[in-house]
Amino acid sequence: MTDAFTLLDDASLEGRNTFRVAARAALLADVNHADGFAELFRYPVFEAGNPLVLGGGSNLLFAGDWPGPVLSIRAHEIRIVEDDGDSALVRAEAGAEWNDLVGWTLARNLPGLENLALIPGTVGAAPIQNIGAYGVEVRELVETVEAWDRDVGAIKRVPAVDCDFGYRDSRFKREHDRWIVFAVEFRFPKQRELRLDYAGIRDELQRMGVEQPTHRQVAEAVSRVRTAKLPNPSLLGNAGSFFKNPVVSRAQANDLLAKHPDLPNYATDDDITRKLSAAWLIERGGWRGKRIGDAGVSEQHALVLVNHGRAHGAQILQLARDIARDVRHRFDVELEPEPRIIGADWNP
Ligand code: EPU
């Protein structure tokens, strides 16, 4: 073993997932340096063992243990790679906390991540599910993703155009057995317009008494809105939105809107579909604030499932399936989970 990684047998993962459910890994590797991959994948247990890659554990649900090895990137350096006056290129390693990167860039007058303030998780997870909030998605800033490619056994630089980013989706999510994200390079134009159109942000700035907001003040407003609307995973176990907002045909959206004119709905990348508010659909079934044992739905937000203490992942999964079935029954709309489910199939 070298200092490029450390290994632990029979490791508890309870402190490594934001739902804080119990789970174990037969072998856990913490990777401190990119050189660690080549060394680690010489071990047959990793090469043949289909390792699970854990980031901040904020976008997965352990409904059971992971049968193979688990790997986590600890490297967390953030630095400016180049600055041409008009824009700066920042490289952040996967283990850095996402919100630390947001603060780091804004403190250096590099705008762009302010709407993504306070999203739990690590930098490495950000491109995998193309994190987004308040009208901004991370794909807008990503220039290159550096990832270990298990197919060739080397680090590859994947330019943003080849990342296949979509709504909470990317190539790295779809091909999760192939890629291990090690670092992300972001391009920050020095001048960037503020995005304030998402409901709640302007109101919050007004409450703060701000008329001409700076990017840092927008981050502050976003943080306040998030704190008021979403439960803090360090106080109450959760993984943010448990479901994606469902995308349905325009015809189905129109039918639903004729019956439910207040159903929030949004444009997608094309003309033939609409995105519906999953929170609204769930709330209609009376799920907000509901609790079955220690598995529950947040009182603050119907999209967020929570662990009130000692819920098992399987109980949270069962609650999620019950919610999805109820929404299907009421509205004929299929909900899909946003986090990755480990140790069970979704199968609602
Ligand atoms: N709503 C309800 N009940 C609720 C909460 C919301 O009916 O309990 C309705 C309201 O009418 C509201 C609408 O749903 O206007 C939308 O709610 P919100 O603004 O909270 O946004 P969202 O669509 O529910 C998405 C993301 C969040 C992100 C927010 C803000 C997804 C799956 N979720 O939620 O992302 O923070 O927008 O941009 O796209 C996450 O991905 O983990 C996450 C928290």
Side-chain angles (χ1 to χ4, degrees), residues 2-35:
T2 68
D3 59 0
F5 61 85
T6 52
L7 288 177
L8 190 63
D9 283 323
D10 188 27
S12 164
L13 302 176
E14 192 167 332
R16 293 193 184 227
N17 73 96
T18 61
F19 263 123
R20 272 183 278 138
V21 296
R24 299 202 79 81
L27 188 60
L28 172 67
D30 281 319
V31 178
N32 304 314
H33 193 275
D35 295 344

Side-chain angles (χ1 to χ4, degrees), residues 184-203:
V184 184
E185 284 178 2
F186 301 87
R187 172 73 61 183
F188 293 96
K190 298 281 177 76
Q191 302 295 327
R192 193 177 141 98
E193 297 209 339
L194 297 171
R195 295 282 177 80
L196 305 176
D197 288 337
Y198 198 94
I201 302 305
R202 277 187 210 280
D203 295 347

Side-chain angles (χ1 to χ4, degrees), residues 243-283:
F243 298 101
K244 294 193 217 177
N245 284 327
V247 173
V248 302
S249 70
R250 198 172 257 280
Q252 187 179 6
N254 287 342
D255 284 351
L256 284 166
L257 282 164
K259 284 186 225 148
H260 313 283
D262 55 338
L263 165 56
N265 62 103
Y266 317 94
T268 59
D269 291 340
D270 60 55
D271 291 341
I272 53 170
T273 57
R274 297 288 290 175
K275 192 151 77 178
L276 308 177
S277 162
W280 190 96
L281 297 169
I282 293 167
E283 187 157 349

Side-chain angles (χ1 to χ4, degrees), residues 58-59 115 119-120 129 131-136 167-168 198-199 225-226 229-230 238-245 262-264 266 275-284 288 298-304 338:
S58 60
N59 203 45
N115 294 42
I119 293 183
Q129 66 149 347
I131 57 171
Y134 305 103
V136 175
Y167 167 56
R168 294 298 190 278
Y198 198 94
V225 171
R226 283 190 78 93
K229 273 199 174 178
L230 296 166
N238 76 83
S241 298
F242 194 88
F243 298 101
K244 294 193 217 177
N245 284 327
D262 55 338
L263 165 56
Y266 317 94
K275 192 151 77 178
L276 308 177
S277 162
W280 190 96
L281 297 169
I282 293 167
E283 187 157 349
R284 289 305 148 293
R288 175 135 73 100
S298 165
E299 283 182 6
Q300 285 165 278
H301 203 298
L303 253 191
V304 181
E338 188 188 275

Side-chain angles (χ1 to χ4, degrees), residues 134-153:
Y134 305 103
V136 175
E137 286 182 337
V138 78
R139 68 168 146 190
E140 297 173 39
L141 285 310
V142 171
E143 183 158 292
T144 309
V145 175
E146 275 177 40
W148 176 259
D149 180 351
R150 293 193 58 205
D151 283 0
V152 298

